[in-house]
Amino acid sequence: MLALSEHAISSRYLKTPHAGKGVAVGLFGGSFNPPHAGHALVAEIALRRLALDQLWWMVTPGNPLKNAGDLAPLAERLQLSEKIAKNPKIKVTAFEAAHRVRFTADTLALVKARNPGVDFVWIMGADSLRDFHRWQRWRRIVMTFPIAVVDRPGATLSFLSSVVAKTFDYARVDEGDAPRLARMDAPAWTFIHGPRSSLSSSAIRKVAKG
C-alpha cells in the first residue's frame, strides 16, 4: 500500500470540477477502496450511454454504511483512482472532504446549488440498489437528479425487487432514452445493461490481506 497521509491531498482534488452551463455531467461516487477495473468499466459505460461531457469520479471520505476500519487513506484512494480512470472526460475529485459532507443527499444538494445550468445525472451500480432505501433521505436523492443504474454481476434481475425501483416505478425511463436522461427533470431513472466486471473492492482487500 502507498504511504500517503490525508495531508498529502492536492488542493485541486478539494475543489468542485468546473462545468459550464448546458454541460451534461455524471456523478459517480464511492469509497473506491480500492478502485478497480470494474469501477472504470461503469464510468466508461455511463460516459458513452448517457452521452456525458464529463464524469466526476467522487472519492468519498467514508461510507456511513461501511466499516471505516477497512478504509485506506483518502490520498491513497485518490492516487489509485487517477491510475484507473484514464479517460480525460473523467475528473477525479474529493470535494466532499473539503465541505465535510458524508451523506449523498447533502452532496447532491451542494452540487446543485453551486452549479446552476449544469445538467447532472447520478450514477450508481445495480448492486447498490438493495440497500439504497437505507441511505439517509434516499427519496430526496431520487428527487434531486436523474439516476442511471448500471448493471453489475448478480444484480440484473434483483434490482426490480428493490424498494427504490418499486417506489419510483412510474419514473423509470426506457434505456433507449438514456442519452437524454441528464436533461430530464427528476425523478427519472433508467437501468443500463452492458458488459459487467466481477471485480469487487472487498474481494481485492481480502486478497491483499492474504
Side-chain angles (χ1 to χ4, degrees):
M1 303 297 284
L2 302 174
L4 295 174
S5 71
E6 299 292 323
H7 300 290
I9 300 171
S10 170
S11 60
R12 67 185 178 91
Y13 289 122
L14 301 177
K15 299 177 182 178
T16 305
H18 173 72
K21 291 184 178 181
V23 171
V25 178
L27 301 174
F28 184 36
S31 301
F32 299 110
N33 186 42
H36 53 70
H39 294 134
L41 180 60
V42 169
E44 290 292 343
I45 290 173
L47 276 167
R48 184 175 68 255
R49 298 289 298 279
L50 298 170
L52 301 174
D53 299 303
Q54 293 182 20
L55 182 140
W56 295 1
W57 182 297
M58 305 186 308
V59 185
T60 64
N63 185 331
L65 296 179
K66 293 183 179 180
N67 181 9
D70 293 332
L71 196 62
L74 179 57
E76 178 180 312
R77 290 180 282 129
L78 282 166
Q79 189 170 49
L80 292 174
S81 292
E82 286 282 16
K83 293 181 178 180
I84 290 287
K86 301 291 187 180
N87 193 315
K89 290 184 177 182
I90 297 176
K91 313 298 180 182
V92 176
T93 178
F95 68 86
E96 289 170 295
H99 294 278
R100 299 176 182 267
V101 292
R102 295 182 63 224
F103 298 102
T104 299
D106 295 326
T107 296
L108 300 190
L110 174 69
V111 168
K112 187 172 185 176
R114 292 186 168 229
N115 296 274
V118 179
D119 297 315
F120 289 101
V121 55
W122 173 256
I123 299 161
M124 62 189 300
D127 51 332
S128 296
L129 278 183
R130 183 188 63 186
D131 296 322
F132 186 73
H133 63 284
R134 295 177 56 203
W135 294 20
Q136 189 180 81
R137 288 167 287 156
W138 64 274
R139 288 182 175 84
R140 179 75 60 83
I141 294 171
V142 180
M143 298 298 294
T144 303
F145 292 135
I147 297 176
V149 182
V150 181
D151 202 2
R152 289 282 290 153
T156 306
L157 298 177
S158 61
F159 88 95
L160 289 172
S161 62
S162 68
V163 173
V164 66
K166 290 181 176 179
T167 304
F168 288 94
D169 179 68
Y170 70 92
R172 186 177 179 183
V173 175
D174 186 89
E175 187 175 355
D177 291 324
R180 300 192 300 109
L181 187 65
R183 314 295 184 182
M184 296 180 182
D185 294 327
W189 67 278
T190 193
F191 188 90
I192 297 178
H193 297 82
R196 295 172 296 174
S197 170
S198 59
L199 289 172
S200 75
S201 295
S202 57
I204 292 174
R205 290 196 302 272
K206 288 180 181 178
V207 172
K209 290 179 180 178

